[in-house]
């Protein structure tokens, strides 16, 4: 039992689950008298601007409270997706902000056993209802982006999504489909292509869309990185943005305002989400009176990459 209580890794999953269930039944919580003034941030990858926005939001909020920030990248570092838990348990931080596509049951149980609170930031799946989470209103963002294009006269719209396994991708696509449906427009499923939120993928899939006859007059990208790839593909076809092709992204990362032309995108309040995560961890003892599953609003930011359809 002591190994489970202290978050040790050398415990079989079945044993850990049984012991943790017994501890939960007794309302047991390990004392945290030696908590370190740290916030742990665990991300799958650091090599993109989305991750940078998360780190900026966390660091600025932590600085106000005189807290340190420890950042861990998981992708390509270890075959064990929960390798980071050992160091986290050793540090015993105030809490952990997790930006992961999959939080393993073992990792969650080990954090819970040590009474280390964690918040899932923009979870890709449907988190355990007992877990704290913060996400953006992806459905409304997808709806607003496509409504904007429809208002400009576009009806032949290509879509490059994120991975279909991720809830944010599903919600953004559902918002797009809802916007089309409210105008009574049929959707050509062959115009919807599944991407992976990378610039390379955005370029490759945009090339396929732009080879079609008739080609789309607008493309909705799953995020700003994919939109950057769409720009590259458009240049390959000597298409002018927005005269020949309108493009919409999602996220509003720093670089989107400096693209040529500046990108119309749906702003996901990444820094605010990160700051809210820090605040929730600091007020964890009050969680019974706090909202622990937050959805923050998205906002359409209209810039220079969208214009009336050339078919109008």
């Amino acid at each position: 039992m002591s190994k489970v209580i202290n978050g040790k890794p050398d415990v079989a999953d079945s044993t850990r689950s049984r012991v943790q269930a017994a501890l939960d039944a007794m309302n047991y919580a390990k004392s945290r008298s030696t908590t370190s003034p740290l916030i742990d941030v665990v991300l799958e990858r650091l090599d993109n601007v989305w991750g940078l926005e998360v780190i900026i939001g966390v660091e600025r909020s932590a600085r106000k409270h005189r807290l340190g920030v420890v950042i861990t990248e998981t992708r390509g570092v270890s075959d064990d997706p929960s390798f980071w838990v050992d160091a986290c348990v050793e540090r015993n931080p105030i809490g952990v902000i997790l930006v992961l596509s999959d939080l393993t049951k073992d990792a969650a149980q080990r954090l819970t056993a040590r009474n280390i609170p964690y918040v899932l930031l923009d979870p890709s799946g449907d988190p355990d209802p007992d877990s704290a989470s913060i996400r953006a209103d992806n459905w409304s963002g997808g709806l607003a982006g496509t409504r904007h294009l429809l208002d400009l006269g576009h009806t032949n719209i290509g879509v490059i999504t994120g991975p279909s396994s991720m809830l944010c991708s599903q919600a953004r696509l559902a918002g797009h489909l809802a916007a089309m449906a409210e105008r009574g427009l049929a959707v050509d499923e062959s115009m919807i292509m599944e991407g992976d939120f990378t610039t390379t993928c955005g370029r490759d899939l945009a090339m396929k869309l732009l080879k079609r006859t008739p080609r789309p007059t607008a493309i909705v990208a799953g995020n700003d990185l994919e939109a950057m790839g769409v720009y590259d593909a458009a240049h390959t076809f000597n298409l002018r943005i927005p005269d020949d092709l309108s493009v919409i992204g999602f996220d509003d990362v720093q670089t989107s305002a400096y693209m040529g032309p500046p990108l119309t995108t749906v702003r996901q309040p990444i820094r605010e989400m990160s700051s809210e995560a820090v605040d929730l961890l600091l007020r964890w003892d009050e969680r019974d009176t706090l909202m622990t599953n937050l959805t923050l609003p998205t906002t359409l930011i209209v810039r220079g990459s969208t214009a009336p359809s050339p078919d109008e």
Side-chain angles (χ1 to χ4, degrees), residues 80-135:
D80 177 8
S82 301
F83 77 94
W84 52 270
V85 181
D86 292 338
C88 182
V89 166
E90 185 69 24
R91 283 189 292 269
N92 198 21
I94 286 173
V96 188
I97 297 173
L98 299 169
V99 192
L100 301 172
S101 60
D102 182 34
L103 173 63
T104 67
K105 184 177 181 180
D106 174 74
Q109 288 180 337
R110 290 175 63 192
L111 292 174
T112 300
R114 285 298 298 267
N115 199 23
I116 299 175
Y118 60 88
V119 177
L120 303 173
L121 189 64
D122 195 29
S124 60
D126 196 7
D128 186 302
D130 293 330
S131 298
S133 65
I134 300 175
R135 68 178 78 213

Side-chain angles (χ1 to χ4, degrees), residues 54-303:
V54 170
I55 293 168
I56 291 173
V58 171
E59 199 282 330
R60 287 181 177 175
S61 184
R63 189 190 317 156
K64 293 179 183 177
H65 299 282
R66 299 182 180 276
L67 301 175
V69 178
V70 178
I71 300 166
T72 302
E73 181 182 35
T74 64
R75 178 168 293 188
V77 176
S78 172
D79 294 332
D80 177 8
S82 301
F83 77 94
W84 52 270
V85 181
D86 292 338
C88 182
V89 166
E90 185 69 24
R91 283 189 292 269
N92 198 21
I94 286 173
V96 188
I97 297 173
L98 299 169
V99 192
L100 301 172
S101 60
D102 182 34
L103 173 63
T104 67
K105 184 177 181 180
D106 174 74
Q109 288 180 337
R110 290 175 63 192
L111 292 174
T112 300
R114 285 298 298 267
N115 199 23
I116 299 175
Y118 60 88
V119 177
L120 303 173
L121 189 64
D122 195 29
S124 60
D126 196 7
D128 186 302
D130 293 330
S131 298
S133 65
I134 300 175
R135 68 178 78 213
D137 190 348
N138 291 289
W139 184 86
S140 293
L143 180 76
T146 298
R147 278 178 172 172
H148 173 62
L149 291 176
L150 294 172
D151 289 343
L152 291 171
H154 296 276
T155 55
N156 187 14
I157 302 172
V159 180
I160 302 173
T161 72
S164 60
S165 60
M166 299 179 68
L167 281 182
C168 63
S169 302
Q170 298 171 26
R172 292 171 195 180
L173 177 58
H176 164 77
L177 296 176
M180 297 289 284
E182 71 179 7
R183 303 290 177 96
L185 297 172
V187 175
D188 181 351
E189 292 188 3
S190 68
M191 293 282 282
I192 301 174
M193 298 190 172
E194 181 178 349
D196 64 4
F197 285 151
T198 66
T199 299
T200 299
C201 181
R203 180 186 187 281
D204 292 344
L205 295 182
M207 292 286 287
K208 293 180 180 181
L209 287 170
L210 295 176
K211 287 177 181 178
R212 296 172 60 97
T213 303
R215 63 169 176 78
T217 61
I219 292 179
V220 174
N223 68 351
D224 292 349
L225 294 178
E226 287 183 346
M228 294 176 191
V230 175
Y231 272 47
D232 193 26
H235 295 156
T236 300
F237 282 88
N238 294 316
L239 297 175
R240 297 166 299 166
I241 299 174
D243 299 334
D244 303 314
L245 178 71
S246 287
V247 182
I248 284 186
F250 204 109
D251 285 340
D252 193 29
V253 297
Q254 288 187 52
T255 52
S256 63
Y258 301 99
M259 294 168 63
L263 179 66
T264 294
T265 187
V266 176
R267 181 177 184 271
Q268 181 174 199
I270 304 171
R271 296 187 188 183
E272 291 87 341
M273 290 161 60
S274 305
S275 179
E276 287 283 354
V278 173
D279 185 62
L280 181 54
L281 291 173
L282 289 173
R283 301 176 63 191
W284 194 253
D285 291 341
E286 306 171 42
R287 62 188 179 278
D288 289 342
T289 60
L290 297 174
M291 286 288 291
T292 57
N293 296 103
L294 302 176
T295 300
L296 301 189
T298 50
T299 307
L300 178 67
I301 306 298
V302 179
R303 298 193 180 105

Side-chain angles (χ1 to χ4, degrees), residues 1-13 15-35 84-86 88-90 92-93 96 103-118 131 284 287:
M1 180 177 289
S2 64
K3 287 186 176 181
V4 174
I5 292 173
N6 289 293
K8 299 299 184 182
D10 54 336
V11 179
D13 289 346
T15 300
R16 188 185 303 280
S17 295
R18 289 197 303 272
V19 173
Q20 188 60 50
L23 294 171
D24 291 342
M26 295 185 293
N27 292 318
Y28 176 87
K30 183 179 176 63
S31 172
R32 303 199 65 217
S33 58
T34 57
T35 299
W84 52 270
V85 181
D86 292 338
C88 182
V89 166
E90 185 69 24
N92 198 21
V96 188
L103 173 63
T104 67
K105 184 177 181 180
D106 174 74
Q109 288 180 337
R110 290 175 63 192
L111 292 174
T112 300
R114 285 298 298 267
N115 199 23
I116 299 175
Y118 60 88
S131 298
W284 194 253
R287 62 188 179 278

